[in-house]
């Protein structure tokens, strides 16, 4: 993709770019940027059912109209010693757009389920401004607790999870706003007894963070075609709590107080990926630096060029991202296997 940088003043109408209209009551009318996938339980995501994942919906909180989009590979594990990791996925969209059923996110989850392989749980969370942050984080934590209840067989475990999943090998994964949700949900989960569920890895692809002070990359890509500064500012203004600015911890946790930074140091291993052509790249690098300074084990992969959300537009970049995720997941799972074997050998 060609260089999208510009030093000129922004002249972009963010409402038109994002295809949204704000209604008098503050809600949004959204014109879909991506088609959605209709759900039929155990329906294949394509014509070749032997190669693609099966998927179904499970209600999470009917009052909040949240649900879980669950994917599994077509072939079950050979035995209970080879159960699959569980990826809890949060989609992107600046907290105001899209759905777990939006075609790009649906397809990506389906591919991960087959190629890793893994069971993938994609959350349909509440969007802002109708439900401002922390509503999305609340939904994410509710999902983690639902998984815990499944692992404990409360009200009968879902058969796919019961047959396929190793609950000691769970990951939180998300891109853009979903990456932000991974971070904040993981912090909240530190204060909760999730056992027997163990979250052993956090995967944040181009996580969505900003701040009041403009970074060099935000200024350099002020008129970026994918995420120009006016659109970025608008999405944060619609997502953050009323009256909050972009230095709120939801948006800019890197400047948070000591208590939050202490919690950051307790996070599990992280994979953070990004691209040099993304206006958010400087904040993503800053996040890595803060996590590493707190002693967190971080795998950071930053590529040259590209743009925000490039894996949606470029199949080669999507393949490279999948490769990085698979390597990270496999490494984390091997560590669990090693620790489990070591513990048994001492008995």
């Amino acid at each position: 993709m060609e260089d999208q940088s510009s030093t000129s003043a922004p002249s972009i109408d963010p409402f038109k770019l994002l295809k949204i209209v704000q209604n008098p009551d503050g809600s949004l009318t959204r014109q879909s940027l991506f088609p959605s996938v209709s759900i039929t339980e155990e329906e294949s995501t394509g014509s070749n059912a032997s190669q693609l994942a099966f998927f179904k919906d499970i209600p999470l909180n009917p009052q909040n109209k949240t649900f879980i989009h669950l994917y599994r590979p077509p072939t079950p594990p050979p035995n209970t010693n080879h159960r699959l990791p569980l990826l809890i996925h949060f989609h992107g969209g600046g907290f105001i757009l899209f759905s777990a059923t939006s075609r790009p996110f649906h397809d990506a989850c389906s591919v991960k389920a087959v190629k890793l392989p893994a069971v993938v749980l994609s959350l349909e969370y509440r969007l802002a401004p109708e439900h401002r942050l922390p509503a999305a984080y609340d939904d994410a934590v509710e999902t983690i607790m639902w998984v815990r209840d499944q692992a404990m067989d409360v009200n009968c475990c879902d058969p796919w999870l019961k047959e396929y999943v190793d609950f000691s090998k769970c990951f939180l994964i998300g891109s853009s706003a979903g990456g932000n949700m991974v971070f904040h949900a993981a912090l909240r989960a530190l204060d909760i007894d999730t056992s027997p569920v163990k979250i052993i890895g956090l995967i944040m692809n181009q996580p969505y963070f900003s701040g009041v002070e403009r970074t060099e990359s935000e200024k350099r890509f002020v008129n970026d075609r994918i995420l120009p500064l006016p659109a970025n500012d608008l999405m944060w203004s619609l997502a953050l709590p009323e009256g909050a600015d972009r230095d709120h911890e939801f948006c800019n946790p890197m400047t948070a107080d000591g208590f939050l930074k202490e919690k950051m140091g307790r996070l599990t291993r992280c994979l953070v990926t990004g691209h040099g052509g993304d206006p958010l790249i400087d904040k993503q690098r800053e996040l890595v630096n803060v996590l590493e300074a707190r002693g967190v084990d971080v795998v950071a992969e930053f590529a040259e060029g590209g743009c925000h959300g490039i894996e949606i537009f470029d199949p080669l970049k999507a393949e490279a991202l999948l490769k990085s995720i698979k390597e990270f997941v496999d490494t984390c799972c091997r560590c669990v296997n090693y620790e489990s074997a070591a513990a048994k050998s001492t008995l």
Side-chain angles (χ1 to χ4, degrees):
M1 182 170 287
E2 67 185 56
D3 184 9
Q4 301 170 30
S5 61
S6 172
T7 57
S8 61
S11 57
I12 297 166
D13 183 337
F15 286 93
K16 288 184 178 179
L17 179 73
L18 299 173
K19 295 189 176 183
I20 58 174
V21 176
Q22 191 157 26
N23 302 313
D25 64 356
S27 65
L28 295 182
T29 297
R30 300 168 175 86
Q31 299 174 355
S32 178
L33 296 173
F34 299 122
S36 292
V37 177
S38 61
I39 302 301
T40 301
E41 184 171 334
E42 292 206 60
E43 177 184 351
S44 172
T45 58
S47 58
N48 190 346
S50 66
Q51 298 297 318
L52 299 172
F54 294 120
F55 60 94
K56 65 180 179 180
D57 273 358
I58 300 174
L60 178 63
N61 186 327
Q63 182 176 352
N64 291 336
K65 299 180 181 179
T66 56
F67 61 85
I68 288 163
H69 207 38
L70 191 66
Y71 303 79
R72 68 166 177 87
T75 305
N79 55 62
T80 57
N81 294 323
H82 293 83
R83 292 186 186 274
L84 303 178
L86 176 67
L87 272 60
I88 301 174
H89 175 265
F90 310 124
H91 69 78
F95 299 107
I96 70 168
L97 296 172
F98 308 136
S99 164
T101 66
S102 296
R103 173 60 72 176
F105 308 124
H106 169 81
D107 288 349
C109 288
S110 176
V111 169
K112 289 181 183 71
V114 174
K115 297 292 186 182
L116 293 182
V119 173
V120 181
L121 184 163
S122 186
L123 170 64
E124 179 76 356
Y125 59 86
R126 289 171 292 171
L127 299 179
E130 294 87 349
H131 307 280
R132 290 176 176 266
L133 294 174
Y137 304 152
D138 294 340
D139 296 342
V141 172
E142 186 173 20
T143 302
I144 295 170
M145 301 307 292
W146 180 86
V147 171
R148 184 199 66 176
D149 289 347
Q150 294 293 301
M152 296 175 67
D153 207 10
V154 175
N155 296 324
C156 189
C157 182
D158 177 84
W160 288 11
L161 298 179
K162 192 168 188 175
E163 182 178 6
Y164 282 75
V165 170
D166 182 343
F167 289 102
S168 70
K169 298 174 181 175
C170 295
F171 296 79
L172 305 185
I173 179 171
S175 296
S176 191
N180 176 300
M181 289 178 64
V182 166
F183 176 81
H184 283 288
L187 286 175
R188 289 179 168 217
L190 293 173
D191 299 324
I192 300 169
D193 180 7
T194 63
S195 60
V197 168
K198 295 182 180 179
I199 299 171
I200 63 170
L202 309 178
I203 302 169
M204 294 174 273
N205 175 48
Q206 296 185 303
Y208 187 53
F209 295 103
S210 190
V212 170
E213 183 178 352
R214 305 300 190 190
T215 65
E216 288 302 314
S217 60
E218 285 176 329
K219 291 186 285 187
R220 185 165 65 251
F221 297 110
V222 63
N223 283 331
D224 182 76
R225 288 182 297 177
I226 304 298
L227 189 61
L229 204 56
N232 187 37
D233 288 352
L234 175 61
M235 288 191 290
W236 278 118
S237 72
L238 294 171
L240 286 169
E242 292 280 5
D245 65 21
R246 291 190 307 278
D247 277 341
H248 191 283
E249 66 183 51
F250 295 165
C251 180
N252 193 14
M254 285 69 79
T255 59
D257 59 26
F259 174 73
L260 184 60
K261 287 188 175 179
E262 181 277 329
K263 287 188 71 174
M264 290 183 200
R266 294 160 50 201
L267 291 174
T268 190
R269 194 177 196 214
C270 299
L271 170 65
V272 182
T273 62
H275 286 272
D278 181 1
L280 308 183
I281 185 67
D282 286 353
K283 273 296 178 188
Q284 294 155 8
R285 292 185 185 276
E286 186 180 347
L287 172 68
V288 168
N289 291 338
V290 169
L291 290 174
E292 290 181 334
R294 304 304 302 179
V296 179
D297 185 2
V298 181
V299 178
E301 297 186 5
F302 294 109
E304 297 296 324
C307 63
H308 194 73
I310 191 170
E311 72 278 1
I312 295 175
F313 313 106
D314 186 333
L316 292 179
K317 297 296 185 183
E319 186 175 339
L321 176 61
L322 180 64
K323 181 175 183 289
S324 295
I325 292 171
K326 180 173 175 56
E327 290 176 354
F328 179 79
V329 169
D330 288 348
T331 299
C332 292
C333 289
R334 282 197 300 270
C335 289
V336 171
N337 292 339
Y338 175 79
E339 292 168 0
S340 177
K344 289 179 180 178
S345 67
T346 62
L347 296 177

